Amino acid sequence: MADAQYNKRVDVLIIGAGASGAAVAWSLAETGMHILCIEQGDWVNPLNYPSTQRDWEMAGQRNYAISPNVRKLKADYPINDEESPIAIANFNAVGGSTILYSAHFPRFHPSDFRVRSLDGVADDWPISYFDLEPFFALNDQNIGVAGHPGDPALPPHTPTMSPVPLGTMGETMARAFNQLGWHWWPSDTAIITRDHEGREACANIGSCNVGCPKGAKSSADVSYWPVALRAGVKLRTNCRVREITVGPDGMATGATYYDDLGVEHHQAAEMVIVACNGVGTPRLLLNSKSPRFPDGIANSSGLVGKNLMLHPWGNVQGLFDHPVDRFGPEGSCMLSQQFYETDASRGFVRGYNMQITRGRGPVLTARAALWRGELPWGANHHTVFEKLYNRTINLGICVEDLPEECNQVTLDPKLTDSNGIPSPKISYRLSENSRRMLNHGLARGVEAMEAAGAIRTDTVGPIRMAGWHLLGTARMGADPRTSVVNEWGRSHDVKNLFVVDGSVFVTSGGVNPTTTIQAVALYIADQIKKRLANLFD
Amino acid sequence: MSNTPLIASDQPLTESLRRTLDAVLEIIIPAEPARGMPSAREVAVFRYLQDHASDYWRLLATQLDELDASAFRQFAQHFADLSLDERMRVAHVMRNTNPGFLRRLALETVTCYYQDDRVMVAVGMEPRPPAPKGQEAYAGDFSLVEPVIARGAIWRRTE
C-alpha cells in the first residue's frame, strides 16, 4: 500500500493501546471521527499465556516478566532504572500493562483529589472524585467489575457483578481484621464472575498476573478493544512512535513512527492523544523536540517527566500451621483501608492500602525456600516443603507516593531502543514520608498476620521489582506554569494535543490506579466530545 | 575417581558423571513412598537441564567431578557407590566449604521435580496446566463484612 494512502490523515491519532488508550478509543468512536491507534506491541495470543503450559510458574518469569529489561521482547524498550530503588514494570502490547495486572480495582478516594486542602501537601487536582464518579461507573459497566456493594471506605457505589471468591484465605484474614476492629472489604476486581459481553466468567485459573487465557480478566485487549474495533476504530500494531510532529503554527500535525520492519512513516492527524502512561508518555514528549519546542513538546512548564510517583510497595508474608486455599484470582480478593486516610498521630500524612494476595505454586515455593536456605536436601525435604506449601498468605502495602520534582523521567544520553530512539532514565528516591508510611504498614501487616494466627511473618519493603504504577509525569492543572495539561487533558502549549493516562495524575492515591486511569480517560474523552465545536480554541 | 573430560557428542555428561548426577539427585530429594513422593533421581531432571540449563553443563561437570574426588578422599569409593548417608556427609562438607556448590543444580532440580505428574498429585494438584480447566474455588462467608458495616462510613468528606 502506498504510504500516502496507508497514512492518510485521520481525525484522531491515539498513541498507545493500553488501559487509557483503549478507553478513549471506545468513547470517541461514537463521534464517527476517523480514529487510528498506533501501538508498539502486538496482540497477545491467549494460547501462549504461561498458564496454558505445564511449566507455567517458570514461564511467567521469562516472556511475561514484569520488567522490560528482563523480557527484552521486540516490543519492549529498555529503561535505565539504576538510579531508583524501585524498578519499572510494564508490558507493551494491545492491552498494555493490563495484560499483567492483578485486576485489583479499588477507586481513589475523594480525599485523594484534595490533598493540599486537607493535609497541606502536594496539590489538589483540578477535578474531584465526584466529577469522575459517573466515569468510574461507566468503566465498571463497560469492562465488568466484580465486587461487594456497601464498602464504608468509599462513597456508595455498586459493582456490576458478585465478588471473586474470598476462600478460606480471605476468611482467615477477614476474621483477623474483625478481631482488630479494622476495615476490610472484598475488593472491586476487574474480573468477570458471570458471563459478560461475550466473555466467559472466571474459572479460577489463578495466574492472573501473567495473563488470563480465558479472557475473564478485563484487560483492555479483551474488554475495550473488540468493541472499539467493531465501532470503526483502526488499530495499527508493531509500530513505535518516535516523535509527535508540529507545524509552523505550533499545532501537532501527527507522529513519526517506525513500522515492524523499521521503515519510517509519518501519520498525519487533526489531533493527537498520548496514552503511554507515566514513563512512556514523558519519554515521547521529551523526544518530540523541534525548533518551536526545543525541550520537548508540551513542556513550557518544564514539568514533563517530573513528579514521578511509583507507589513504594511492601509485603508481609504470613506462614500458617494449616493449609490455606490457593485457588482463586491471585491478587484481588480483599483489601483493608483502615490506614488510608490521614491521621497525624502516625507520623506521616496520607495513607496506604493493604491488599491480600495468595501464596505461590509449588515450584516457586520450593525455589524461594531453597534460595533462603530453608528447604533442606535429604530426608527432611518433604516434611519442610509440606510446612511451607499452600500455607502462606501475603499482605501487600501500597503506599501513597507524594509528588516531588526530583523524582523524574529524563532521556538517557546513551541508551536507546531497537529503533535508535532514546530510552527513559528514572531518577527516584523514597521520601521520608513514604518511608515512615511503609514502615507503619509493614508493622500493621505483621499485626494482622499474627491476629490471623500466622506462626511466622516475613517482611520486605520497599520491593525493588514493584514499579507497576507510573504516575504524575505530565500533571494536570489550571495553571500552565505548574502543570502540563489542563483540567480536561489538553496540553497548555499545543491545543490539539491531549494526554489521557496516569501521567496526568496530580497525586498518586494509595491504591492500584487502573480504574482511576480509565475513569480519567473516559472523563477527558467526554470533555473532548462536549467541546468538539471549539476544541482547539 | 572420574576425571573424564566432557565428550564431544550430543551427551553433555559422561556416563560416570551421569552416575554421579543421579546419586546427587537422590540425596537432594529422596523418595518418600508414604507421601507418594518419588526421588529426584526418578524424575526427568537430566532432560530438564538439557532443555533449560544448557549454559550450566560445564560448571556442573566440574562440580560433580569435585564431589566424586571428595568421596574418594573420604571413603575411597566413587560418590555413586556410597550409601545415602555417606553421600549426604560428602555433600555436606562440600556445601559447607562453598555455599554455592551445586546450588543451581538444586534449584533446577526442585523446578523440574514439582512439575512432575506424581509429585503434583502428591501435593494435592491435578497434573495439568491451570488453564483452561481452572479450579473450583470456595466462595467464602461474605457475612463477615457485617462488623465493618456496623462501624459506619470511614471515608473522609471533602465538601
Side-chain angles (χ1 to χ4, degrees):
Chain A
M1 190 181 297
D3 194 67
Q5 183 63 27
Y6 187 60
N7 293 305
K8 187 178 172 185
R9 189 176 194 82
V10 295
D11 297 317
V12 182
L13 173 63
I14 301 170
I15 303 170
S20 60
V24 157
W26 170 86
S27 178
L28 293 181
E30 70 172 345
T31 64
M33 292 191 288
H34 291 102
I35 302 170
L36 169 70
C37 178
I38 291 182
E39 163 58 48
Q40 66 191 319
D42 204 345
W43 289 91
V44 180
N45 182 348
L47 295 176
N48 293 334
Y49 281 136
S51 57
T52 64
Q53 303 161 33
R54 280 299 294 268
D55 70 337
W56 81 94
E57 290 185 83
M58 294 307 294
Q61 311 282 307
R62 297 189 288 264
N63 284 355
Y64 293 86
I66 62 173
S67 167
N69 296 341
V70 173
R71 289 190 310 268
K72 296 180 179 172
L73 300 178
K74 189 176 178 187
D76 292 320
Y77 54 89
I79 298 174
N80 179 352
D81 51 21
E82 291 173 3
E83 290 182 11
S84 169
I86 300 173
I88 301 302
N90 69 13
F91 198 75
N92 295 302
V94 177
S97 299
T98 65
I99 298 293
L100 299 187
Y101 78 161
S102 67
H104 188 62
F105 227 54
R107 298 178 177 187
F108 272 31
H109 287 208
S111 71
D112 289 324
F113 299 85
R114 294 287 177 268
V115 299
R116 167 60 69 177
S117 300
L118 293 172
D119 296 317
V121 293
D123 286 299
D124 289 350
W125 291 50
I127 55 176
S128 74
Y129 174 91
F130 300 100
D131 292 323
L132 292 182
E133 196 168 42
F135 301 98
F136 278 121
L138 177 63
N139 193 50
D140 287 1
Q141 184 61 46
N142 285 345
I143 70 174
V145 172
H148 195 72
D151 183 355
L154 279 170
H157 73 284
T158 303
T160 55
M161 54 190 77
S162 58
V164 300
L166 281 177
T168 55
M169 180 196 76
E171 286 183 345
T172 301
M173 294 309 299
R175 291 194 176 92
F177 288 131
N178 284 348
Q179 181 185 322
L180 293 164
W182 293 359
H183 170 269
W184 72 273
W185 203 256
S187 306
D188 280 7
T189 304
I191 292 174
I192 54 173
T193 54
R194 62 171 161 75
D195 294 357
H196 178 78
E197 299 290 337
R199 295 155 53 207
E200 288 185 4
C202 175
N204 301 304
I205 288 167
S207 46
C208 317
N209 292 14
V210 286
C212 174
K214 195 171 177 64
K217 184 175 80 169
S218 301
S219 49
D221 59 325
V222 298
S223 56
Y224 273 116
W225 274 114
V227 186
L229 293 175
R230 283 199 298 275
V233 176
K234 305 295 183 196
L235 174 57
R236 197 172 292 162
T237 59
N238 298 307
C239 294
R240 176 176 283 140
V241 173
R242 185 183 74 205
E243 63 180 296
I244 297 162
T245 52
V246 291
D249 57 356
M251 298 285 274
T253 55
T256 301
Y257 71 95
Y258 297 101
D259 68 17
D260 195 23
L261 301 174
V263 177
E264 183 178 321
H265 300 262
H266 184 263
Q267 175 62 56
E270 294 293 333
M271 65 188 268
V272 176
I273 297 177
V274 183
C276 308
N277 218 14
V279 169
T281 286
R283 178 201 187 202
L284 174 58
L285 297 178
L286 292 170
N287 270 317
S288 301
K289 291 180 177 142
S290 61
R292 180 138 188 159
F293 300 113
D295 298 321
I297 197 168
N299 197 21
S300 65
S301 65
L303 291 175
V304 169
K306 293 186 175 166
N307 297 301
L308 173 67
M309 298 173 280
L310 292 176
H311 282 159
W313 200 276
N315 189 70
V316 179
Q317 180 173 272
L319 177 68
F320 293 79
D321 63 3
H322 54 83
V324 291
D325 57 358
R326 279 196 53 251
F327 300 128
E330 65 182 310
S332 54
C333 86
M334 68 188 296
L335 55 71
S336 169
Q337 297 189 333
Q338 181 65 28
F339 305 103
Y340 196 89
E341 306 286 6
T342 294
D343 178 342
S345 70
R346 296 178 193 141
F348 55 84
V349 292
R350 310 301 302 154
Y352 55 88
N353 183 61
M354 293 176 163
Q355 176 184 355
I356 304 301
T357 63
R358 297 182 191 283
R360 293 164 157 168
V363 170
L364 294 182
T365 297
R367 284 177 64 96
L370 197 68
W371 193 253
R372 290 194 302 268
E374 190 175 357
L375 187 62
W377 292 26
N380 213 24
H381 178 97
H382 300 293
T383 304
V384 172
F385 181 81
E386 187 180 71
K387 289 179 178 173
L388 297 173
Y389 174 60
N390 196 19
R391 294 181 183 220
T392 56
I393 300 175
N394 291 292
L395 186 155
I397 296 144
C398 179
V399 163
E400 173 162 355
D401 203 5
L402 291 168
E404 296 181 276
E405 287 193 20
C406 61
N407 291 336
Q408 60 182 318
V409 179
T410 55
L411 297 178
D412 192 278
K414 294 180 182 169
L415 194 64
T416 64
D417 63 25
S418 58
N419 294 113
I421 305 169
S423 280
K425 177 183 177 184
I426 311 300
S427 303
Y428 177 90
R429 59 150 178 81
L430 264 73
S431 69
E432 182 59 25
N433 193 65
S434 293
R435 205 169 284 283
R436 288 183 188 183
M437 201 185 310
L438 183 58
N439 289 338
H440 187 275
L442 290 170
R444 297 293 81 71
V446 168
E447 204 175 330
M449 285 295 174
E450 289 175 349
I455 56 174
R456 193 182 85 194
T457 56
D458 295 297
T459 62
V460 59
I463 298 173
R464 176 162 176 76
M465 201 51 74
W468 291 289
H469 307 155
L470 315 174
L471 307 167
T473 49
R475 65 195 331 216
M476 60 163 48
D479 186 344
R481 293 168 302 176
T482 58
S483 57
V484 176
V485 298
N486 70 9
E487 60 272 32
W488 40 281
R490 192 182 73 178
S491 160
H492 289 301
D493 303 342
V494 182
K495 295 191 185 311
N496 64 341
L497 174 64
F498 292 77
V499 181
V500 297
D501 56 55
S503 54
V504 305
F505 280 32
V506 179
T507 56
S508 72
V511 289
N512 311 45
T514 305
T515 181
T516 307
I517 288 173
Q518 290 186 311
V520 167
L522 291 172
Y523 169 80
I524 293 173
D526 189 65
Q527 291 291 313
I528 290 171
K529 288 186 285 189
K530 285 177 175 166
R531 298 166 190 266
L532 275 179
N534 55 356
L535 190 60
F536 305 147
D537 291 349
Chain B
M1 175 177 161
S2 168
N3 282 316
T4 315
L6 283 173
I7 56 175
S9 75
D10 59 352
Q11 290 303 315
L13 296 180
T14 63
E15 274 304 310
S16 68
L17 287 176
R18 280 292 302 270
R19 284 187 70 230
T20 309
L21 174 63
D22 282 348
V24 178
L25 294 175
E26 203 168 21
I27 61 166
I28 293 176
I29 309 180
E32 191 167 336
R35 295 175 195 263
M37 303 294 247
S39 77
R41 181 179 189 161
E42 298 168 69
V43 304
V45 173
F46 185 77
R47 173 67 185 273
Y48 186 85
L49 292 172
Q50 285 184 308
D51 290 346
H52 297 281
S54 57
D55 60 321
Y56 179 49
W57 289 120
R58 187 167 294 278
L59 177 60
L60 176 61
T62 301
Q63 294 191 330
L64 292 174
D65 255 340
E66 290 174 16
L67 195 67
D68 204 42
S70 180
F72 240 89
R73 282 196 298 275
Q74 290 181 60
F75 295 101
Q77 289 187 75
H78 287 296
F79 185 82
D81 295 328
L82 300 179
S83 70
L84 287 175
D85 282 349
E86 289 166 339
R87 278 182 255 163
M88 280 298 286
R89 284 162 58 190
V90 173
H92 184 73
V93 170
M94 299 296 284
R95 295 172 71 215
N96 263 5
T97 308
N98 173 11
F101 186 75
L102 292 178
R103 188 174 205 175
R104 178 158 179 200
L105 176 64
L107 276 171
E108 303 291 358
T109 298
V110 299
T111 304
C112 171
Y113 183 80
Y114 286 101
Q115 295 178 44
D116 181 85
D117 284 2
R118 292 161 293 179
V119 177
M120 289 181 76
V121 170
V123 301
M125 303 179 72
E126 292 180 59
R128 61 172 174 83
K133 187 178 174 186
Q135 303 285 348
E136 286 295 320
Y138 166 58
D141 179 5
F142 287 88
S143 72
L144 286 165
V145 298
E146 285 170 11
V148 185
I149 296 169
R151 286 195 293 275
I154 61 169
W155 60 277
R156 198 172 173 191
R157 264 50 178 189
T158 55
E159 310 293 332

